[in-house]
Amino acid sequence: MLTPLHKRLLNDYQRDFPLSPTPYQDIALELGVSEEDVIDAFVELDEQDVITRIGPVIPPNRIGVSTLAAIAVPETELEAVAQIISAYPEVNHNYEREHRFNLWFVVIAADAQHLAQVLADIEQQTGYPVMSLPLMEDYFIDLSFKLDLHDD
Amino acid sequence: MPVLDAIDLAIMRATQAGLPLTPEPYQSLATQLGLTADDVMKRMQYMADLGIIRRIGAVPNHYKLGYRFNGMTVWNVPDAYIDELGQKVGALDFVSHCYHRPRHLPHWPYNLFAMVHGKTQLDVDRQIASIAAILGDHNLGSDVLYSTKILKKTGFRSGI
């Protein structure tokens, strides 16, 4: 269950987390609570996996190169192939999706050559061709995703 | 693209798992990296000014917040219109990511990707209808791929 403080933190601090020596203290002052309250609330959000982390969000391809890749695998082999793919440190997302292309994963590498190597290696290890769909344009408009935090 | 030095990259690596939940998180990072807190903050501000850091903040887990219907909507739109249309779709407040990606014919005819998130199937159906309305006659075909399982998700960019 989210408290009012949890909701404020979630709504108001998806961006503009202070770059100051004591950011939690700054937030506490803005919200009229104690620094300990803010830290405790963030720890709770983190422990409950409501937030994945607090930190800088990097747009794709600003540091290193990445691609969205997909693979079509028979249902019976899905789990084994997914495990092979998830084991790569260069893979930072791997989702099962309802489609003929049923595994979708993001690969991030330091440079294009290493990225190509990882994709080729995944093809070899899994025995299936990988469809690579690198980003061509990012239509991100800087409005954060609006969370509806009504309890339901 | 501006070049980051090894210290900038070390800071980004150290923050990808999350800032410490301690009173002086930048000082904790600085100690770990052999820097001062001031160095860490100045370099992060510099990277934010350049757009290498898009934002600094809490990264919500949509699924845990009740957004259980997460659809990757994919559309085939004429290349001549994709930038104009992509910007309109990307501006919708229920779209968290919107990208132009290459088609991969014959298996994959779609070039516009928009991630939508809803608490119910009906929410997502309405969102998809809104996108379709924006695309109008330029919508040459579409599909929605729902995630059935998150097999790995980490903010940690260990490939860099």
Side-chain angles (χ1 to χ4, degrees):
Chain A
M1 189 52 118
L2 299 178
T3 66
L5 179 58
H6 288 143
K7 292 182 185 182
R8 281 298 297 273
L9 294 175
L10 271 171
N11 263 326
D12 298 355
Y13 295 96
Q14 287 179 50
R15 62 186 62 250
D16 300 329
F17 182 84
L19 260 176
S20 82
T22 54
Y24 303 106
Q25 177 66 43
D26 295 1
I27 294 172
L29 285 173
E30 284 171 25
L31 300 183
V33 296
S34 73
E35 181 185 42
E36 203 185 346
D37 290 339
V38 171
I39 291 179
D40 287 350
F42 273 128
V43 167
E44 286 154 14
L45 290 172
D46 192 47
E47 282 174 350
Q48 294 170 30
D49 204 24
V50 174
I51 57 173
T52 54
R53 66 195 172 91
I54 296 171
V57 174
I58 311 168
N61 296 336
R62 298 295 160 84
I63 299 180
V65 290
S66 64
T67 193
L68 174 66
I71 198 164
V73 186
E75 204 61 39
T76 50
E77 290 176 48
L78 188 72
E79 202 170 318
V81 169
Q83 275 181 16
I84 293 172
I85 292 171
S86 293
Y88 284 83
E90 293 87 353
V91 170
N92 85 331
H93 288 65
N94 187 12
Y95 283 53
E96 182 183 331
R97 295 191 181 276
E98 289 175 316
H99 194 270
R100 191 174 80 77
F101 287 101
N102 46 4
L103 281 178
W104 288 78
F105 50 100
V106 173
V107 186
I108 302 180
D111 55 51
Q113 194 190 351
H114 183 61
L115 183 67
Q117 260 170 19
V118 171
L119 295 175
D121 200 58
I122 289 174
E123 289 191 328
Q124 201 180 15
Q125 294 295 319
T126 63
Y128 291 99
V130 170
M131 176 171 78
S132 175
L133 303 172
L135 185 143
M136 296 168 74
E137 195 66 51
D138 181 356
Y139 302 116
F140 180 80
I141 314 294
D142 201 11
L143 302 167
S144 57
F145 182 80
K146 206 165 79 188
L147 292 171
D148 168 14
L149 297 176
H150 296 296
D151 294 314
D152 51 13
Chain B
M1 192 186 296
V3 177
L4 301 182
D5 67 16
I7 296 172
D8 295 325
L9 287 174
I11 291 170
M12 293 316 294
R13 276 192 209 100
T15 56
Q16 288 306 295
L19 290 171
L21 292 162
T22 51
E24 298 181 32
Y26 302 109
Q27 180 60 56
S28 306
L29 283 178
T31 305
Q32 185 189 325
L33 298 169
L35 304 167
T36 67
D38 202 42
D39 286 337
V40 171
M41 290 187 289
K42 276 192 178 138
R43 284 169 178 271
M44 286 179 70
Q45 185 61 56
Y46 169 76
M47 289 187 273
D49 291 343
L50 292 176
I52 290 166
I53 291 175
R54 174 173 281 164
R55 62 172 181 270
I56 303 170
V59 181
N61 177 352
H62 293 138
Y63 194 85
K64 273 279 176 182
L65 288 164
Y67 291 85
R68 295 206 153 70
F69 294 83
N70 299 292
M72 182 172 77
T73 73
V74 293
W75 310 80
N76 180 8
V77 303
D79 290 338
Y81 297 99
I82 194 166
D83 287 340
E84 178 195 333
L85 295 168
Q87 279 163 21
K88 287 183 186 167
V89 173
L92 296 168
D93 66 5
F94 51 80
V95 170
S96 63
H97 300 80
C98 185
Y99 298 133
H100 177 192
R101 295 185 183 278
R103 298 185 187 86
H104 198 87
L105 299 171
H107 306 296
W108 190 258
Y110 310 112
N111 56 347
L112 182 66
F113 287 59
M115 301 299 307
V116 299
H117 309 270
K119 292 186 175 181
T120 65
Q121 184 69 55
L122 185 63
D123 288 347
V124 176
D125 290 344
R126 285 185 180 138
Q127 293 168 351
I128 293 166
S130 303
I131 296 174
I134 287 173
L135 300 180
D137 292 342
H138 298 310
N139 175 12
L140 306 179
S142 68
D143 203 347
V144 187
L145 283 72
Y146 290 99
S147 56
T148 43
K149 209 186 252 180
I150 299 173
L151 302 158
K152 181 174 186 181
K153 184 173 186 189
T154 166
F156 195 76
R157 299 158 72 98
S158 44
I160 61 172

